[in-house]
Amino acid sequence: MRSATAHQSDLKNGIFVTPFLLVFSCLLVIPLLWGAWLSLTKADLFGPGKFVGLANYSRLFADKVFLGSIVNTLYFVLLTVPAFAVCGLALALALNRQTRFATVMRAIFFASSVLSVTVVTLIWRIVFIPDIGLLSNIFGWLGLPQVAFLSSPKLAMPAIAIATLWWGIGLPMMLFLAALQQIPGEIYEAAALDNAKRWKTLWHITLPAIRRTFVLVLIVQCVLQFQLFGQAQLMTQGGPNNASRPVVLYVYEVAFRRFDVGMGAATSQVLFALILMAALVQYVVARRKEESR
């Protein structure tokens, strides 16, 4: 039987974690359950709603705009998540030096992360805007034809992806830098004594040492980029012809412009399932690779 001291210790531990559990339940668990209930009702912003079962989901999957928003969101995730991982790692490798220049460059690359989405989209609208934008002027100097990035169905989403990459590259860069600085220098010294080339050192020492950080960056960015909203709303408003409309923008329009809260909640549940599946797939694949080593 457990002693009275052990029970007292459990009680003290429980008291310490109780505030966190209360906040976690109020801000995450209860809204999640309430959203799941709302998705089964026909509700607006001014009433309790009426239970309609899976009717909202049936309407949702019959809506071509919603299906298109899922395709747009997946396309955006495929554009940005690998780019965040590769560019963040490349920047971290280039700036992993104890020099003043590297410190200044790290600060410059991270500075964009503290800007608001409004400022970021304003900057990139100036870059992409036709006729008088930065890229239009560069194309004019080179004698190339003008390209309307934000008005083109094929280029609107890549343009938003570029702006997002510029905005958020600071976080993965700093995560990779923290991981790189945890690798003991003696390992690199031993590799240098064995005349190991840079590529072999990167492939056989650096990448295996930071693989958990790599998985973390992929999962974090996957969760973040599935929630694309502000950039698409401010740069293209989901256009042209719904080509850049993500799922979160669809939720906003359905729930707060059409006041169809039940259908908006159903859309949110589908988005939650997509994010959960994507994160779990990456975690399981990374775990199996680690166990097979």
Side-chain angles (χ1 to χ4, degrees):
M1 294 181 62
R2 302 185 65 189
S3 64
T5 304
H7 285 293
Q8 288 179 354
S9 178
D10 290 343
L11 181 60
K12 290 179 181 177
N13 294 338
I15 292 174
F16 277 113
V17 300
T18 297
F20 169 78
L21 290 176
L22 287 174
V23 174
F24 180 79
S25 299
C26 293
L27 298 183
L28 188 66
V29 177
I30 293 176
L32 185 64
L33 296 176
W34 181 245
W37 165 251
L38 277 178
S39 71
L40 303 176
T41 65
K42 182 174 178 55
D44 54 29
L45 293 175
F46 311 104
K50 177 184 177 183
F51 183 76
V52 294
L54 298 177
N56 288 325
Y57 292 94
S58 299
R59 292 166 54 205
L60 200 59
F61 285 102
D63 189 344
K64 292 182 180 178
V65 177
F66 168 70
L67 298 177
S69 70
I70 288 184
V71 174
N72 293 337
T73 304
L74 293 174
Y75 179 44
F76 180 76
V77 170
L78 289 176
L79 285 176
T80 53
V81 173
F84 270 118
V86 174
C87 296
L89 178 59
L91 284 175
L93 290 170
L95 301 178
N96 187 27
R97 294 177 174 82
Q98 300 301 324
T99 63
R100 186 171 297 177
F101 175 77
T103 303
V104 172
M105 293 305 295
R106 288 199 292 263
I108 290 174
F109 279 108
F110 190 75
S112 61
S113 301
V114 303
L115 298 176
S116 70
V117 65
T118 306
V119 175
V120 171
T121 53
L122 179 61
I123 292 172
W124 283 93
R125 281 185 66 84
I126 294 173
V127 172
F128 288 125
I129 193 169
D131 300 327
I132 58 173
L134 177 62
L135 285 179
S136 293
N137 285 322
I138 293 174
F139 284 10
W141 296 335
L142 297 175
L144 299 174
Q146 301 288 322
V147 179
F149 289 92
L150 300 180
S151 302
S152 168
K154 292 183 179 179
L155 297 178
M157 193 57 88
I160 296 173
I162 291 172
T164 304
L165 182 64
W166 178 84
W167 183 26
I169 194 61
L171 176 61
M173 180 192 71
M174 296 305 290
L175 290 174
F176 281 126
L177 274 171
L180 290 173
Q181 292 173 3
Q182 298 299 316
I183 303 174
E186 293 81 2
I187 299 178
Y188 291 111
E189 293 174 1
L193 290 175
D194 290 336
N195 293 321
K197 303 296 183 184
R198 285 187 176 182
W199 174 251
K200 284 189 175 180
T201 303
L202 173 66
W203 189 256
H204 295 289
I205 296 177
T206 304
L207 292 181
I210 65 170
R211 62 177 179 274
R212 292 183 178 177
T213 303
F214 203 89
V215 174
L216 173 66
V217 168
L218 288 177
I219 292 176
V220 169
Q221 290 302 324
C222 195
V223 172
L224 290 176
Q225 304 317 321
F226 262 110
Q227 302 175 53
L228 168 67
F229 173 65
Q231 306 95 299
Q233 167 72 358
L234 296 172
M235 292 178 71
T236 63
Q237 296 185 350
N241 195 24
N242 297 318
S244 61
R245 186 180 306 282
V247 175
V248 179
L249 181 56
Y250 181 87
V251 173
Y252 168 74
E253 292 175 345
V254 168
F256 299 105
R257 288 188 174 176
R258 289 159 48 183
F259 300 108
D260 193 343
V261 177
M263 193 166 172
T267 312
S268 301
Q269 298 303 312
V270 174
L271 177 62
F272 173 72
L274 286 174
I275 295 174
L276 185 62
M277 284 191 293
L280 284 176
V281 166
Q282 292 181 63
Y283 176 76
V284 170
V285 170
R287 189 176 179 85
R288 286 184 177 176
K289 285 185 177 179
E290 190 170 341
E291 290 175 351
S292 64
R293 291 177 182 275

